[in-house]
Amino acid sequence: MIGLGDGEEEGRTPSLEEVLDDLCCRFLLNLPKSEFSSFERLFFAIESAHWFYDDFFRENHPSLPRFSLRDFALALFAHTPLLQPYRDSVDQLFKDFRTYKQGVPKCGAAMLNKGMDKVVLVLGWGSKGRWGFPKGKLGNDETEVSELNFAQNLIGGYLWKCCK
């Protein structure tokens, strides 16, 4: 895998092909078979790869191209032998994913300090990002309680359930 500043040649920007190979190894090749049961589930891994690309590769190598999620998916489907047979269907698959994603339950928490006069808000990603409570999509086997327990263990604060 490509180093992210840990042993990589000084000043060398990896090619897009190298980056896409790396992302396929990190996010697609080791997915459990159940995630390949539908393209909607597979697109969650592609979305994670896109976030990683923006947060790490583009942050360290700004000359790499900026992609919307759709354009990133197009590049990944064109590049990856695993996905190439479906590259002509990316637009429809992406549209189906966006519809599916809207129906996935989310869970969040209002995180307040002890004085209950300050609250944590997060700004959504992208130009249309909005301020809101930290939240995430529930996985297949997750419940609101398990997610809140996980969040409480991670940040150790006072949490009040705020689920949609």
Side-chain angles (χ1 to χ4, degrees):
M1 286 197 225
I2 298 171
L4 298 174
D6 56 352
E8 168 177 15
E9 293 176 33
E10 188 66 34
R12 179 184 171 284
T13 296
S15 70
L16 181 58
E17 289 74 26
E18 290 173 308
V19 171
L20 292 175
D21 281 342
D22 180 282
L23 293 170
C24 286
C25 289
R26 289 178 194 264
F27 293 93
L28 298 179
L29 296 180
N30 295 312
L31 281 176
K33 284 190 177 209
S34 61
E35 293 301 297
F36 288 95
S37 64
S38 72
F39 280 103
E40 290 88 355
R41 297 296 316 155
L42 182 61
F43 258 90
F44 280 117
I46 293 170
E47 183 178 55
S48 293
H50 180 240
W51 291 338
F52 190 90
Y53 174 78
D54 267 348
D55 290 346
F56 295 100
F57 284 112
R58 283 209 74 260
E59 182 75 22
N60 293 315
H61 308 286
S63 63
L64 287 169
R66 180 177 302 251
F67 288 114
S68 66
L69 177 57
R70 179 195 161 275
D71 291 341
F72 179 80
L74 283 167
L76 210 52
F77 272 71
H79 176 79
T80 309
L82 178 69
L83 301 175
Q84 282 176 352
Y86 310 101
R87 69 177 169 231
D88 293 337
S89 305
V90 171
D91 282 328
Q92 185 60 49
L93 295 171
F94 182 70
K95 184 178 176 182
D96 293 346
F97 168 67
R98 290 182 53 109
T99 301
Y100 173 81
K101 188 176 166 182
Q102 290 175 347
V104 173
K106 296 175 190 74
C107 182
M111 302 185 311
L112 297 118
N113 67 346
K114 285 184 182 184
M116 297 212 291
D117 59 351
K118 295 180 182 170
V119 65
V120 173
L121 295 176
V122 294
L123 180 60
W125 185 84
S127 62
K128 296 181 181 180
R130 295 185 178 150
W131 288 99
F133 294 118
K135 65 181 176 291
K137 293 174 273 318
L138 292 177
N140 286 337
D141 299 328
E142 295 175 324
T143 66
E144 290 91 350
V145 172
S146 66
E147 277 299 294
L148 289 169
N149 287 336
F150 178 72
Q152 188 171 22
N153 289 334
L154 273 180
I155 56 129
Y158 293 91
L159 302 176
W160 281 263
K161 195 159 88 171
C162 178
C163 297
K164 289 185 178 182

